[in-house]
Amino acid sequence: MNKALFDFIGRCPTACHTAETAAQKLSEAGFTELCESAAWTLEAGKGYFVRRGSSSLIAFRAPREFSGFVIAAAHGDSPALKLREGATVGGGYTQLSVEPYGGMIFSSWFDRPLSVAGRVVIQTAEGVAVRLVDLSEPVAVIPNVAIHMNRSVNDGVKLNAAVDLPPLFGDGEAKTLGARVAERLGVSEDEILSSDLFVYNPQPGVEWNGYISAPRLDDLQCAFAALTAFLDAKKGGSAKVFALFDNEEVGSRTRQGAASTFLFDVLRRVCAAYGCDFDTRLAGSLMLSCDNAHAVHPNHPELADKTCAARMNGGVVIKYNANQQYATDALSAGLFKLICARAGVPVQSYANRADMPGGSTLGNISNAQVSLCTVDIGLAQLAMHSSFETAGASDTEYLFRAVYKSFPRAPFKKLLGGRSPYG
Ligand code: ZN
């Protein structure tokens, strides 16, 4: 399963590519793409998906009768260097103009071959067209300063995004990045009107001694496991939904992020197309907000909580936070534990050290728009937001087995004896 994960990660250098790769897999499995700007006519049992902003995607399959949605959500974006227009030429070098997207670990981007991918808007006879591009080969490096010129480098170094991060692209004579991108797309450079391009790490993933190391494991490991489970799920039962959001790394408050109306709009339109009541279906729904969690660090075990630490290959992590940075509560955690027990999947609990604020994720942000019973889960990993992260080799399959598979037809009716989750 991890070989397929590495292939998926290789195809997903940016959130637009993640949505496109998911769309391709869904289309191959017979799902039909819907457009938000057209009316929807849905057939019971058939699969559909819809994209917003070309970087977020929601797929669903609904039987004629369903009492609620079972939603697995993950994010398709990762910290990276966003390219700005223009480049600096001087001193015999061409350097790209960049700024950080999300909470990157700067040092992990140094001294490794980097590539460029993203979305380009080109001018056409009819107007404009969006094209995805991935140069896939190395085109830039961010070089460290030699230790001879920075003797205190191993005592910790302060890195400045404006000074230290501009990647070296060429010798001042090299073809511009715009020309490289145009060449790859088979268009002329002046046909390119604008772009959302990112510098990314093209290194392939590797499996070693029970672990996996790859770029963008946060959150492509969860996105891959949830999507694969969605495609593998039996038809019928509850209405199954796979949601892939962009912009989690920058707070989700964008047109296509988890704080947008995207999920609400799709679920409401599904109910309208089926002629069923949205509010009652939502009250009977469950969301698994899937985003990776921190494993205990081998050299810094003191950073993990003594009682609520997660370890790699220990199974799916349930994330708790008293201040509700995670949406998990006793009910959603209890339901998820039961689901995992039925699937034979180990679960473990995670909370930050009580004196350390953690990150947030999709669950509670999405609940502001679509309020439903939600559990925040993920897979344990090291070096989150490094350009090359490490996780447990067994955990991808644990999440795959836990999502969608063991949900009964009407989760709350069967699991709660007919009562609604908060009733
Ligand atoms: Zn994440």
Side-chain angles (χ1 to χ4, degrees):
M1 175 156 255
N2 287 321
K3 224 169 153 278
L5 167 65
F6 297 150
D7 174 63
F8 181 78
I9 290 172
R11 289 169 65 183
C12 302
T14 72
C16 285
H17 287 84
T18 314
E20 174 62 20
T21 303
Q24 283 173 9
K25 284 176 175 279
L26 288 158
S27 299
E28 282 161 21
F31 282 69
T32 304
E33 179 156 19
L34 299 168
C35 186
E36 283 200 287
S37 58
W40 294 0
T41 311
L42 307 180
E43 257 182 70
K46 282 206 163 180
Y48 300 91
F49 68 93
V50 55
R51 281 185 263 194
R52 183 177 284 184
S54 71
S55 56
S56 288
L57 175 148
I58 296 176
F60 57 90
R61 191 196 288 279
R64 185 158 297 285
E65 292 293 325
F66 64 94
S67 59
F69 296 98
V70 171
I71 304 160
H75 66 89
D77 63 322
S78 303
L81 289 167
K82 176 107 197 278
L83 279 152
R84 288 105 58 96
E85 285 187 17
T88 327
V89 182
Y93 292 124
T94 308
Q95 285 177 278
L96 301 175
S97 173
V98 291
E99 62 181 298
Y101 170 88
M104 307 168 60
I105 299 179
F106 291 164
S107 60
S108 70
W109 289 76
F110 284 71
D111 302 332
R112 55 167 74 241
L114 301 170
S115 193
V116 167
R119 167 172 63 171
V120 176
V121 173
I122 55 168
Q123 194 165 358
T124 65
E126 295 79 37
V128 296
V130 175
R131 301 269 303 273
L132 298 193
V133 67
D134 179 6
L135 295 182
S136 55
E137 64 205 5
V139 296
V141 158
I142 307 172
N144 253 304
V145 170
I147 196 165
H148 314 84
M149 296 164 191
N150 186 7
R151 293 281 179 194
S152 60
V153 63
N154 294 325
D155 303 327
V157 104
K158 189 155 173 52
L159 297 169
N160 179 309
V163 175
D164 296 298
L165 295 187
L168 170 63
F169 177 74
D171 60 5
E173 303 288 320
K175 229 183 244 178
T176 64
L177 180 64
R180 292 287 292 268
V181 168
E183 192 178 82
R184 183 57 65 96
L185 288 172
V187 298
S188 73
E189 206 178 336
D190 30 299
E191 284 174 84
I192 296 178
L193 295 172
S194 58
S195 60
D196 290 316
L197 293 171
F198 293 86
V199 174
Y200 76 93
N201 178 8
Q203 188 175 349
V206 286
E207 185 165 344
W208 56 278
N209 293 353
Y211 298 108
I212 52 173
S213 296
R216 305 180 290 284
L217 285 173
D218 168 25
D219 188 30
L220 296 186
Q221 191 181 14
C222 284
F224 169 78
L227 173 62
T228 310
F230 179 76
L231 291 169
D232 196 56
K234 285 198 194 85
K235 290 184 186 177
S238 50
K240 297 174 186 72
V241 179
F242 167 72
L244 182 71
F245 289 110
D246 189 10
N247 302 130
E248 192 276 342
E249 299 295 358
V250 292
S252 296
R253 271 179 287 280
T254 60
R255 176 184 161 226
Q256 59 279 329
S260 75
T261 59
F262 189 29
L263 182 61
F264 176 88
D265 294 341
V266 170
L267 300 185
R268 186 182 48 75
R269 289 182 76 167
V270 170
C271 287
Y274 278 86
C276 61
D277 181 59
F278 174 68
D279 298 329
T280 51
R281 296 306 181 281
L282 207 60
S285 297
L286 176 68
M287 175 144 124
L288 309 181
S289 160
C290 310
D291 197 0
N292 270 5
H294 302 297
V296 178
H297 195 285
N299 299 337
H300 289 283
E302 75 283 1
L303 297 175
D305 187 79
K306 274 190 203 148
T307 57
C308 251
R311 61 178 185 84
M312 293 176 286
N313 295 319
V316 180
V317 178
I318 303 179
K319 302 195 253 183
Y320 296 87
N321 178 257
N323 294 307
Q324 291 297 294
Q325 289 299 305
Y326 300 130
T328 311
D329 62 15
L331 178 67
S332 62
L335 280 172
F336 186 66
K337 282 182 181 175
L338 191 58
I339 287 160
C340 286
R342 287 177 171 194
V345 169
V347 286
Q348 46 184 341
S349 299
Y350 173 84
N352 294 310
R353 266 179 64 128
D355 57 356
M356 266 188 198
S360 77
T361 180
L362 302 164
N364 62 344
I365 291 175
S366 175
N367 259 275
Q369 291 288 350
V370 190
S371 91
L372 46 80
C373 184
T374 301
V375 58
D376 266 301
I377 58 170
L379 301 174
Q381 72 158 90
L382 294 170
M384 190 178 285
H385 292 191
S386 167
S387 75
F388 204 63
E389 302 170 324
T390 293
S394 307
D395 289 330
T396 318
E397 185 158 345
Y398 285 144
L399 186 61
F400 165 76
R401 279 166 45 198
V403 185
Y404 304 114
K405 285 280 175 43
S406 297
F407 287 108
R409 181 176 161 74
F412 299 116
K413 276 200 182 120
K414 289 230 174 112
L415 294 174
L416 298 172
R419 289 189 297 279
S420 86
Y422 294 107

